[in-house]
Amino acid sequence: MFIRTAICAAALLLCAPHTAFAADSPPGKPLSKRALDDLSFRLHATVAPYFPAEAPGGIVLVVKDGQTVLRRAYGMADTSKGVKMAPEMAMRIGSMTKQFTATGILLLADEGKLSIDDEITKYLPDYPTQGKKITIEHLLTHTSGIISYTGKPGFPQRAPQDITVAAQIDSFKNDPLQFEPGSTWRYNNSGYYLLGAIIEKVSGLPYHKFLAQRIFVPLGMDHTAYEGHERSAWPSAAGHSPLEKGFGPARPLGKNQSYAAGELVSTVDDLAKWDAAVGRKLLKPATWQRAFTSYRLSDGKDSHYGYGWELTLIQGEPTIGHSGSTRGFRSYGLRLPNKGVYVAVLTNGDAGMVVPDVVARRAAAVAIGKPLPEFREVALDAAALDAVAGVYSLDKDTQRVFSRDGEFLSLLRAGRGPLVLKPMSANEFFVPDTADWIVFQRDAVGKVTGVTYHQDGRALNHVRSGEAPAPRIVAKIADAAFDAHAGRYEIQPGMVFEVTREGSRYFVQPTGQRRVEIFPLSETRFFARDVDAEISFGSQTLSFKQGGRNFSGRRI
């Protein structure tokens, strides 16, 4: 809510076996024209509803066994100028950049110029590792313990400014490590920023030139480049960010703010060329295999992340992919190596608009003949929600708590924000902006005894093991009581919370971040439904709790 990455928030996965993805299966038999047309129609019918005609849009590409099944643009490329989206347009791809950065590192490793087991101080001798051994592999796998600079207070305010690579590294290098390297997976843009600096140090080339010379030009990716270093003119889509009502031009992002963690632009056609090379060209087969193997943490658990790729499942099929989110744009690219399927979705709206992850996953499921169920919300009363609320155990270490918040059912997760669920029936709920759904089981007398969480083609069965906490009931307060708290509160220099009312709805908006609706527990206490946060007001103060941390500020 209050401190978010501006580049990417990777998918957080539930438990799965250790993942080592094999090389691509041989291509299947080419589709007949009739089968190709039928699949194209079904794919279009699946993805088109996500893109309103007059809103910021997207481009969707689906390739199956080397055949382009869908290549289509939706919505607007520039809403202010009335320009429609076109399939050839380029866009920022955000953290999909990481797979190119990782491949650059692995190219140098295959040539014997570095080893992923090397400590980073071999190439960045002045980097303070605080007495810990931090390797290149730790950077590749988000397990270094280094703080992610995009999550630091004040980053949204600094993001519009141009910055040098050295200055950005200086902004986080002296911060304490968040955990022992190799012990925990935590998404980290700083790690990939450092990998870009290592590429420059080892290759002797600027990052943008190295990628162009070693990846983009050899693969014919003519319209993929580090933003500002495009090799030719090419039509591109304008980015958009949400406003209080509707959307407007993307919030500005300064040069080198994303760097090797997320500063590339590309087209779906170039990404198809990239996918055709992945696992086959550039790197040794064993190197590709290692890149697609889930890093194992020091406690033996899987991270579900390789080198620049997330490792997950779609309808039970092994999937290699990555999301991207940067100012004005969001993206997702995934490949199902055993099915010969590649999907790329590029969109020109950031948070609060189309979720490309959902579009890509639904398209991939259709492409392999296992479409995901459609989600249609229905209304349930408080009694129906109370009937399913409770504590459910997957195993001795994993519990999920379902609790009623007024007229909503929330899934509470340890160490993470709550998920507000939407009902499809008295027993079925879905997770908004995902392809996940939940089914509660009942005994012969109608009492709920368990729940199955359907995620990525896995059915995770939980047994009811306890009662839910008391529901949070939204209090009814007079708008005038809330107006006494409206205003601006400085939490720290550069971070201000603006508290506003719109009709009888109440909001708080941190500087440079999205506006979040808050709900009253009393005239002075409020909570957010989709984030783990609670706010309290004094006569001239604001205090809030988030993720076990407490902050406060005074009205200005």
Side-chain angles (χ1 to χ4, degrees):
M1 172 186 178
F2 303 115
I3 299 174
R4 286 189 181 272
T5 170
I7 298 177
C8 180
L12 295 172
L13 308 176
L14 297 175
C15 298
H18 181 64
T19 311
F21 286 17
D24 294 6
S25 298
K29 182 180 179 181
L31 295 172
S32 66
K33 184 178 185 308
R34 181 175 179 178
L36 190 68
D37 290 344
D38 175 67
L39 180 54
S40 178
F41 175 83
R42 287 186 285 116
L43 285 165
H44 170 65
T46 297
V47 305
Y50 288 93
F51 299 97
E54 301 305 317
I59 304 168
V60 181
L61 175 86
V62 181
V63 177
K64 184 173 175 63
D65 292 325
Q67 291 178 281
T68 298
V69 184
L70 184 73
R71 177 182 177 270
R72 194 152 181 170
Y74 301 89
M76 303 298 291
D78 189 329
T79 57
S80 66
K81 297 180 180 178
V83 178
K84 291 185 178 181
M85 190 70 76
E88 67 273 12
M89 287 181 168
M91 296 187 227
R92 291 176 181 167
I93 63 171
S95 279
M96 285 181 68
T97 296
K98 289 179 171 65
Q99 58 200 252
F100 296 97
T101 300
T103 301
I105 287 287
L106 296 176
L107 278 166
L108 295 171
D110 275 357
E111 294 167 356
K113 295 178 180 178
L114 58 77
S115 167
I116 63 167
D117 298 318
D118 288 338
E119 294 189 48
I120 65 173
T121 49
K122 182 174 181 178
Y123 309 101
L124 305 173
D126 297 329
Y127 194 90
T129 59
Q130 303 165 42
K132 304 296 184 180
K133 180 180 178 180
I134 302 176
T135 67
I136 289 176
E137 186 174 40
H138 288 142
L139 303 184
L140 287 166
T141 56
H142 303 290
T143 59
S144 68
I146 296 170
I147 192 170
S148 185
Y149 71 95
T150 53
K152 292 184 62 177
F155 174 75
Q157 293 73 49
R158 297 189 297 271
Q161 304 163 10
D162 292 346
I163 195 169
T164 65
V165 171
Q168 191 73 280
I169 293 174
D170 285 344
S171 76
F172 62 79
K173 71 179 185 181
N174 293 311
D175 291 314
L177 295 181
Q178 296 184 302
F179 50 82
E180 183 74 20
S183 68
T184 301
W185 185 92
R186 186 173 299 171
Y187 194 81
N188 189 312
N189 288 305
S190 298
Y192 273 79
Y193 211 97
L194 293 172
L195 289 171
I198 291 172
I199 287 173
E200 294 194 359
K201 183 71 175 287
V202 174
S203 70
L205 292 171
Y207 172 80
H208 73 273
K209 284 188 177 180
F210 179 85
L211 290 193
Q213 291 181 16
R214 300 301 306 276
I215 300 177
F216 304 148
V217 172
L219 296 182
M221 299 173 66
D222 297 334
H223 309 298
T224 303
Y226 191 90
E227 188 169 7
H229 294 276
E230 292 84 353
R231 297 180 303 283
S232 62
W234 194 252
S236 61
H240 299 78
S241 294
L243 302 174
E244 285 193 15
K245 294 182 179 179
F247 40 78
R251 295 167 296 158
L253 183 65
K255 182 179 179 182
N256 296 325
Q257 286 289 354
S258 305
Y259 186 49
E263 203 144 340
L264 295 184
V265 296
S266 190
T267 65
V268 294
D269 297 321
D270 273 10
L271 291 173
K273 294 176 182 178
W274 168 241
D275 177 68
V278 168
R280 303 177 182 89
K281 300 179 181 179
L282 299 177
L283 303 176
K284 298 174 183 177
T287 305
W288 279 121
Q289 183 70 20
R290 191 168 181 181
F292 299 148
T293 300
S294 174
Y295 180 81
R296 182 161 284 175
L297 303 173
S298 55
D299 64 0
K301 294 181 180 179
D302 275 330
S303 66
H304 306 291
Y305 198 95
Y307 300 161
W309 274 275
E310 303 158 357
L311 308 174
T312 179
L313 300 169
I314 292 177
Q315 293 293 61
E317 289 294 334
T319 303
I320 304 166
H322 212 287
S323 57
S325 180
T326 186
R327 291 192 167 187
F329 301 87
R330 299 178 79 181
S331 61
Y332 201 85
L334 61 83
R335 57 198 319 265
L336 282 69
N338 296 339
K339 295 295 185 179
V341 169
Y342 179 70
V343 180
V345 179
L346 302 182
T347 69
N348 64 333
D350 57 32
M353 301 187 197
V354 175
V355 182
D357 312 40
V358 176
V359 177
R361 297 179 76 79
R362 285 193 172 275
V366 170
I368 63 174
K370 299 179 180 179
L372 292 162
E374 293 296 326
F375 300 154
R376 289 184 173 82
E377 184 180 1
V378 301
L380 294 181
D381 60 21
L385 300 181
D386 287 338
V388 299
V391 180
Y392 297 79
S393 298
L394 178 66
D395 51 44
K396 64 182 181 66
D397 298 320
T398 308
Q399 289 186 331
R400 292 186 169 81
V401 180
F402 295 84
S403 178
R404 178 167 66 89
D405 277 340
E407 68 271 33
F408 293 93
L409 185 71
S410 292
L411 170 57
L412 310 178
R413 306 165 297 168
R416 296 161 63 189
L419 290 173
V420 177
L421 307 178
K422 301 285 189 177
M424 295 185 285
S425 71
N427 296 324
E428 298 172 302
F429 295 75
F430 66 92
V431 183
D433 295 336
T434 76
D436 302 339
W437 75 100
I438 291 162
V439 181
F440 291 93
Q441 288 86 43
R442 299 176 187 261
D443 62 17
V445 297
K447 183 178 180 179
V448 177
T449 58
V451 65
T452 300
Y453 195 126
H454 293 273
Q455 185 188 54
D456 301 328
R458 295 189 296 269
L460 303 169
N461 296 310
H462 301 63
V463 175
R464 185 165 185 156
S465 56
E467 297 303 314
R472 291 192 294 192
I473 306 300
V474 177
K476 293 186 179 298
I477 66 171
D479 291 338
F482 180 82
D483 290 343
H485 309 309
R488 303 173 74 245
Y489 297 80
E490 185 176 47
I491 307 303
Q492 60 186 41
M495 175 61 72
V496 172
F497 283 13
E498 186 166 7
V499 178
T500 58
R501 176 171 65 87
E502 189 175 291
S504 290
R505 298 176 66 189
Y506 313 132
F507 299 90
V508 60
Q509 183 168 19
T511 303
Q513 301 186 37
R514 70 181 178 93
R515 187 177 67 159
V516 175
E517 187 167 7
I518 56 176
F519 302 88
L521 293 167
S522 70
E523 289 188 349
T524 59
R525 290 179 57 228
F526 296 76
F527 71 95
R529 279 210 170 97
D530 59 346
V531 217
D532 179 20
E534 186 174 307
I535 293 174
S536 300
F537 292 97
S539 60
Q540 294 295 318
T541 61
L542 176 152
S543 300
F544 72 93
K545 299 177 182 179
Q546 182 187 14
R549 297 178 296 172
N550 297 310
F551 303 86
S552 61
R554 296 194 64 82
R555 195 197 301 260
I556 56 176

